[in-house]
């Protein structure tokens, strides 16, 4: 599949899920206006890259920076903000390491490099935080840090093209997997709680019947 197609497919799937009534589950806490503005800005940013003397940068990078700043601004307390930043730096280190070294251990590659990175980052994000906006922000921070550092180190060989179509595919796949894993984990936790309550109620009924 050519770069960029996966982003469009996942965007369409996301819109279909929103229209089907999954909006509150997938993006709880994010208003419809913000979601619409994000999608429109993303589509426009895909078509108009910014060219500089040292390389090329997609406007989508600026959009993701706004998402990160917005999430940090809404976070309560300086310590929590520092915690989110530390998570982003950790994810950035993981992303850079996988970009740099994954080709040296091909048996760890799942389908391809981008899928492997997206899956690892999504798993880490899902276990570290539950809030939708925060998940998107820290995942964006991690992918941006890793991509920027990797592109800067290899700028003489591959050029400094930040936010290209391959990065966009990786971002959408990461966020999509993170939200999917979070929903599955939430469902498992809810099922476990209900099972435990059912067992406790059954034990109490038997105890009461014996008395």
């Amino acid at each position: 599949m050519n770069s960029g197609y996966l982003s469009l497919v996942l965007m369409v799937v996301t819109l279909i899920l929103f229209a089907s009534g999954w909006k509150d589950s997938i993006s709880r806490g994010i208003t419809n206006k913000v979601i619409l503005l994000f999608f429109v800005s993303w589509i426009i940013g895909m078509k108009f890259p910014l060219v500089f003397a040292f390389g090329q940068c997609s406007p989508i990078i600026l959009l993701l920076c706004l998402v990160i700043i917005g999430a940090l601004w809404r976070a309560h307390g300086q310590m929590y903000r520092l915690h989110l930043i530390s998570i982003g730096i950790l994810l950035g280190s993981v992303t850079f390491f996988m970009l740099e070294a994954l080709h040296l251990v091909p048996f760890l590659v799942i389908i391809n490099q981008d899928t492997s990175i997206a899956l690892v980052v999504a798993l880490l994000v899902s276990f570290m935080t539950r809030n939708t906006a925060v998940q998107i922000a820290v995942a964006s921070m991690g992918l941006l840090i890793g991509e920027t550092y990797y592109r800067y180190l290899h700028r003489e060989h591959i050029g400094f093209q930040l936010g290209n179509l391959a990065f966009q595919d990786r971002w959408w796949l990461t966020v999509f997997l993170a939200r999917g894993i979070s929903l599955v984990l939430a469902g498992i936790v809810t099922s476990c709680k209900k099972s435990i309550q059912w067992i406790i109620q059954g034990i109490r009924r038997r105890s009461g019947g014996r008395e």
Side-chain angles (χ1 to χ4, degrees), residues 81-123:
R81 292 190 182 98
L82 291 175
H83 173 64
L84 297 182
I85 293 173
S86 65
I87 292 177
I89 294 173
L90 172 62
L91 295 176
S93 301
V94 172
T95 301
F96 172 73
F97 174 77
M98 296 186 72
L99 285 170
E100 191 71 24
L102 200 57
H103 66 280
L104 299 176
V105 281
F107 64 91
L108 294 178
V109 176
I110 303 173
I111 302 178
N112 54 45
Q113 184 187 54
D114 288 337
T115 304
S116 303
I117 295 173
L119 181 59
V120 171
V121 174
L123 282 171

